[in-house]
Amino acid sequence: MQFFGGSEISPSPPVPTATGNNAHMMYVFNRNGVCLLYREWNRPLHTLNPQQDHKLMFGLLFSLKSLTAKMDPTKYHFVSLSLHSFQHQFSVAVYNFLLMMRSAEKGNLGIPQLPGQGCSFHSFRTNTYKLSFMETPSGIKFILVTNPRTGDLRETLKYIYNLYVEYVAKNPLYTPGTLIRCELFNTALDQYVRSIA
Amino acid sequence: MAAIYSLYIINKSGGLIFYKDYGSKGRMDTNDSLRVASLWHSMHAISQQLSPINGCSGIELLEADTFDLHCFQSLTGTKFFVVCETGTQHMEALLKVIYELYTDYVLKNPFYEMEMPIRCELFDINLTQAIQKDRVALLGR
């Protein structure tokens, strides 16, 4: 399911797909929910204070991932059977076997999923914005909020991930798990986001 | 012809009032379908809080790797959402048709109690007809 292969270090930026305004804002979270980066370019409405906003965003994404993993139609779903139908010993053996098979079913809601495990969503759209989401194998989550007419931004997010790798992950002065304070990353990001509009 | 996996109708408090699956791919345990419905209700509400612009009315389309989820919310807060194959066309039109069937066969039924699970035969019959594959293709007109 992961697709971060490729021999190029920094692929060329994909063809711009967005029409209209610039992107609204962007979030980067690590696997523990720490907000590593929050960039705002165009946000007329602030409903909550920044800490609550970040927590709510992370919580929403965590729950949505849980929901999509549960609703995945390609996973086998074990439907519970009533106990009274298992009267005979053979039936008991079958019942035990089926209980073992439960591990093959889709996880119950709320079970923590590893990055890349289970079906994940890549975007959702409302009438006022479109949120594009990408999670890397290391659990870094990239979220880009744009206008609703934007096309598929998966390639865009991959490019932004490459910018992150180049300017943040490879920066010897950056401590993983802390706020990103890399000027080069911010500049490159702003420049790129302006170009996709 | 792209497939529909399941249909859910949620009342304004987030409780599941109707669930129908089409095929084994959409099938879900009763308890799980209730949980998924309430979870969706909350996610829909939270997404409105995170909007950068005024006037957000919640998630209309969720695109995942293996399925799409289209949601329609009526003016009264009743939500209709359908889980379908990625790239299925005309789901918004289908949801509006289902809403029309809901108003005709459920709301106008004098024995139907508001916000309760839907047990209206005529609704089921007409819903099955509306979801038939050739009918969904016609919605593209």
Side-chain angles (χ1 to χ4, degrees):
Chain A
M1 215 184 106
Q2 295 310 319
F3 29 57
F4 302 109
S7 49
E8 66 249 316
I9 304 290
S10 299
S12 54
V15 176
T17 52
T19 58
N21 304 331
N22 255 336
H24 290 296
M25 59 233 201
M26 180 169 147
Y27 298 77
V28 179
F29 291 102
N30 77 350
R31 64 198 304 164
N32 300 321
V34 176
C35 185
L36 304 177
L37 184 80
Y38 170 67
R39 298 290 291 177
E40 191 179 289
W41 297 289
N42 176 19
R43 188 174 188 178
L45 176 69
H46 291 84
T47 317
L48 306 159
N49 74 49
Q51 283 74 31
Q52 284 178 327
D53 186 64
H54 300 333
K55 280 188 205 164
L56 196 63
M57 177 58 83
F58 185 78
L60 175 70
L61 296 170
F62 181 85
S63 310
L64 274 178
K65 267 180 38 111
S66 196
L67 180 84
T68 51
K70 186 63 177 176
M71 293 189 87
D72 188 1
T74 60
K75 284 281 186 302
Y76 167 69
H77 198 95
F78 180 80
V79 180
S80 24
L81 303 162
S82 58
L83 196 51
H84 72 73
S85 57
F86 290 99
Q87 298 292 333
H88 311 285
Q89 217 167 18
F90 172 71
S91 310
V92 170
V94 169
Y95 181 61
N96 285 331
F97 172 70
L98 286 172
L99 275 180
M100 264 181 5
M101 281 290 287
R102 282 192 84 107
S103 55
E105 70 173 287
K106 295 181 252 203
N108 287 319
L109 281 176
I111 285 186
Q113 307 262 329
L114 295 171
Q117 188 188 29
C119 173
S120 181
F121 75 102
H122 56 81
S123 76
F124 73 74
R125 176 175 57 85
T126 71
N127 61 328
T128 52
Y129 69 97
K130 178 170 184 172
L131 185 143
S132 305
F133 171 76
M134 185 188 79
E135 185 172 20
T136 72
S138 52
I140 307 289
K141 300 177 180 38
F142 291 87
I143 295 103
L144 195 56
V145 177
T146 56
N147 71 73
R149 289 172 304 288
T150 316
D152 192 358
L153 286 179
R154 277 181 278 191
E155 293 302 314
T156 310
L157 284 170
K158 276 192 225 174
Y159 184 75
I160 293 176
Y161 173 57
N162 278 301
L163 286 180
Y164 166 84
V165 166
E166 289 304 309
Y167 293 116
V168 180
K170 292 185 181 178
N171 185 338
L173 300 174
Y174 172 70
T175 322
T178 60
L179 207 58
I180 295 173
R181 287 197 190 88
C182 310
E183 267 316 302
L184 277 178
F185 178 64
N186 291 342
T187 320
L189 184 64
D190 285 347
Q191 204 176 20
Y192 177 62
V193 166
R194 215 166 292 133
S195 76
I196 66 169
Chain B
M1 185 63 224
I4 296 166
Y5 297 133
S6 51
L7 166 72
Y8 296 70
I9 305 181
I10 318 180
N11 66 18
K12 58 167 79 80
S13 349
L16 182 68
I17 57 175
F18 185 80
Y19 162 69
K20 185 110 207 290
D21 63 71
Y22 297 94
S24 59
K25 287 197 166 179
R27 198 149 297 145
M28 203 170 281
D29 226 355
T30 319
N31 290 331
D32 285 335
S33 61
L34 288 164
R35 287 185 202 117
V36 158
S38 338
L39 186 58
W40 180 255
H41 174 82
S42 321
M43 300 296 101
H44 193 92
I46 292 175
S47 67
Q48 293 179 30
Q49 297 242 326
L50 292 168
S51 170
I53 290 180
N54 238 331
C56 183
S57 63
I59 303 178
E60 289 174 358
L61 166 64
L62 176 89
E63 290 171 308
D65 300 328
T66 50
F67 68 92
D68 282 351
L69 192 153
H70 295 255
C71 180
F72 169 69
Q73 182 176 36
S74 71
L75 291 166
T76 53
T78 311
K79 286 181 264 301
F80 300 77
F81 68 93
V82 66
V83 179
C84 56
E85 215 175 304
T86 47
T88 314
Q89 300 292 312
H90 318 307
M91 287 293 108
E92 288 87 34
L94 176 69
L95 284 170
K96 297 228 162 66
V97 166
I98 294 175
Y99 179 51
E100 247 187 84
L101 294 177
Y102 169 78
T103 55
D104 284 337
Y105 296 109
V106 177
L107 296 181
K108 293 179 188 173
N109 182 337
F111 300 109
Y112 173 70
E113 288 175 57
M114 283 303 302
E115 316 298 313
M116 289 286 117
I118 294 172
R119 300 258 187 275
C120 309
E121 210 181 301
L122 279 178
F123 178 67
D124 291 326
I125 294 170
N126 284 277
L127 183 65
T128 317
Q129 279 178 359
I131 295 213
Q132 260 165 23
K133 292 176 184 181
D134 43 353
R135 291 289 184 96
V136 178
L138 287 175
L139 289 169
R141 274 181 287 126

